[in-house]
Amino acid sequence: AVDESELLTVPDGWKEPAFTREDNPKGLLEESSFATLFPKYREAYLKECWPLVQKALGEHYVNAALDLIEGSMTVTTTKKTFDPYAIIRARDLIKLLARSVPFEQAVRILQDDVACDIIKIGSLVRKRETFIKRRARLLGPKGSTLKALELLTNCYIMVQGNTVSALGPFSGLKEVRKVVLDTMKNIHPIYNIKTLMIKRELAKDPELRTQSWERFLPKFKRKNLKKRKEPKKKNTKKEYTPFPPPQPESQIDKELASGEYFLKERQKKRKQMEEIKAKQADALKRRQEERNKAFIPPKEKPVVKTKKASTEKKIDIDAIKEKVKNAKKKKLGALPEEEVKLKMAADEKKKKKK
């Protein structure tokens, strides 16, 4: 009887057998090709290392061509190519070379246990200044953050322009992508590095492999983010009604409703004068109240009576005098009274004997 959990886990140090010609003796039916452009500043380096690229791809029977006029690299399969995935690895190789990855690192993509990931970070942040700051945060002071990330994930990471190129095992690439995207979302990479360090230590313990690691991993909370202030005036949308709003009343309609329309000119003037006088009286009253405020005395605070010191605890003068008397009798280095009396009696006996 074999435990099912053992069958699901991959044993340590296990490697998939290499793909050989015996696995595909007839080769490929069709020719496949991939091309990629490279920037002008990479031309000199590619021209120098291109013979090495051709030699490395020649071992997998893949042709490589460099076009300096168009600024492109092309890889194509041949009749001798037996590995169908070799052209995909060759495509990744030229992509990495175009993204400023040195040939010594990029050639590792041709190995079976190595993969690559090119993360586009240029469109993740709107402002250019913010993007440059966050990209520098990913690198760290003197590249220390990037070096720590490389050691924890066993990947080679290259930050160039608007992309981050990573090269290494699949598990490491997954972590690199998460850290890079979080950094662009304004989450400092040190938090993810701390988590990776804890995971690395937990993986060493064989008992914890099958358990959940949630209780060991740190949980970081955002402290400095403030809630969005709500506006004072909120624009609320009115409910839609198919009927048009009522027509506003004109001045004549208002006069007709109040009966002013039928008054004579003299009566209208008298009413207007009464309204003006009423307004003037109100304004005068308010002004007078404002002036009188200066003559109103402020409310005085009530006087708090200080409590007399309580004479409940009486001082025992006789006890203090007794203490002083005893202290005077006791001199420094002097014997107690009983010992002094005994000594005096002994001296008297000696005198009598003499």
Side-chain angles (χ1 to χ4, degrees):
V2 182
D3 190 13
E4 287 184 7
S5 61
E6 289 181 10
L7 294 170
L8 292 169
T9 54
V10 179
D12 292 331
W14 181 85
K15 279 189 177 183
E16 195 175 339
F19 193 87
T20 58
R21 188 172 282 280
E22 292 171 8
D23 297 320
N24 186 17
K26 293 182 180 180
L28 305 176
L29 296 171
E30 294 290 335
E31 184 187 274
S32 301
S33 66
F34 288 100
T36 185
L37 298 171
F38 60 86
K40 186 75 176 173
Y41 60 84
R42 291 290 288 167
E43 189 178 312
Y45 180 79
L46 290 171
K47 197 175 179 181
E48 190 180 334
C49 72
W50 196 251
L52 297 169
V53 175
Q54 285 178 322
K55 187 182 176 182
L57 292 174
E59 291 173 8
H60 297 269
Y61 304 103
V62 176
N63 285 338
L66 179 69
D67 192 346
L68 296 172
I69 297 163
E70 286 185 4
S72 66
M73 293 178 280
T74 313
V75 285
T76 51
T77 56
T78 59
K79 289 179 181 180
K80 291 183 181 181
T81 310
F82 61 88
D83 186 0
Y85 201 71
I87 188 67
I88 303 296
R89 290 201 181 110
R91 177 201 68 182
D92 291 341
L93 174 64
I94 59 172
K95 270 188 179 181
L96 290 168
L97 288 169
R99 294 311 314 146
S100 298
V101 177
F103 171 75
E104 292 79 12
Q105 291 290 342
V107 78
R108 285 170 54 211
I109 195 68
L110 300 174
Q111 298 171 17
D112 287 337
D113 57 343
V114 178
C116 76
D117 189 10
I118 296 168
I119 307 153
K120 293 178 181 178
I121 57 172
S123 59
L124 297 175
V125 184
R126 287 182 183 178
K127 290 183 181 179
R128 185 69 183 170
E129 291 174 6
T130 313
F131 167 72
I132 291 161
K133 281 180 185 176
R134 289 182 189 174
R135 187 178 63 182
R137 192 183 292 168
L138 182 64
L139 291 165
K142 296 180 182 178
S144 58
T145 308
L146 199 68
K147 190 69 183 172
L149 201 60
E150 284 180 352
L151 291 167
L152 289 166
T153 57
N154 296 322
C155 294
Y156 173 81
I157 306 164
M158 182 73 188
V159 181
Q160 178 70 23
N162 293 333
T163 58
V164 177
S165 307
L167 188 77
F170 288 100
S171 58
L173 291 174
K174 187 181 175 182
E175 294 294 343
V176 170
R177 177 170 273 274
K178 184 182 178 298
V179 174
V180 170
L181 294 177
D182 282 355
T183 307
M184 289 295 127
K185 288 174 187 172
N186 202 21
I187 298 167
H188 204 283
I190 196 71
Y191 299 130
N192 287 308
I193 286 168
K194 279 184 181 178
T195 308
L196 287 170
M197 286 169 78
I198 293 163
K199 283 181 180 178
R200 192 183 188 181
E201 292 300 317
L202 291 170
K204 291 175 184 177
D205 193 346
E207 292 179 5
L208 293 169
R209 282 190 176 183
T210 54
Q211 295 178 16
S212 177
W213 292 350
E214 284 295 320
R215 64 182 189 273
F216 300 111
L217 300 176
K219 291 175 183 178
F220 301 107
K221 291 181 181 179
R222 294 184 180 183
K223 292 179 181 178
N224 58 346
L225 287 180
K226 294 179 182 178
K227 289 183 180 178
R228 184 177 171 273
K229 288 182 180 179
E230 292 183 358
K232 287 181 180 178
K233 292 181 181 178
K234 290 183 180 179
N235 297 326
T236 53
K237 286 186 177 180
K238 294 176 183 177
E239 290 183 8
Y240 173 74
T241 52
F243 306 105
Q247 197 171 359
E249 289 183 345
S250 64
Q251 190 66 27
I252 295 166
D253 293 335
K254 288 175 184 177
E255 286 178 1
L256 285 167
S258 63
E260 287 179 29
Y261 185 78
F262 304 102
L263 294 173
K264 291 178 182 178
E265 198 70 32
R266 194 187 300 166
Q267 290 172 330
K268 283 181 184 180
K269 281 183 181 179
R270 193 188 298 162
K271 196 175 182 180
Q272 283 176 359
M273 287 298 291
E274 284 173 3
E275 286 174 2
I276 290 163
K277 281 178 181 179
K279 282 180 183 178
Q280 284 175 350
D282 287 340
L284 188 69
K285 193 178 178 183
R286 268 189 266 112
R287 215 176 300 131
Q288 198 66 35
E289 285 173 2
E290 287 290 326
R291 284 176 186 167
N292 292 338
K293 275 182 185 177
F295 301 103
I296 297 166
K299 289 181 180 179
E300 293 181 0
K301 290 180 182 178
V303 179
V304 181
K305 292 180 180 180
T306 53
K307 291 179 181 180
K308 291 180 181 179
S310 60
T311 56
E312 290 175 4
K313 293 180 181 179
K314 292 180 179 179
I315 299 162
D316 194 354
I317 297 162
D318 297 331
I320 293 164
K321 282 180 179 178
E322 194 67 33
K323 279 183 183 178
V324 172
K325 204 174 183 181
N326 292 336
K328 281 180 180 179
K329 285 179 183 179
K330 251 186 191 178
K331 292 179 181 177
L332 289 168
L335 294 167
E337 284 181 9
E338 292 174 3
E339 287 183 20
V340 170
K341 284 176 183 178
L342 289 167
K343 201 175 183 183
M344 285 171 76
D347 290 341
E348 282 176 5
K349 281 179 183 180
K350 282 177 185 181
K351 283 176 183 180
K352 283 175 183 181
K353 283 178 182 179
K354 285 178 181 180

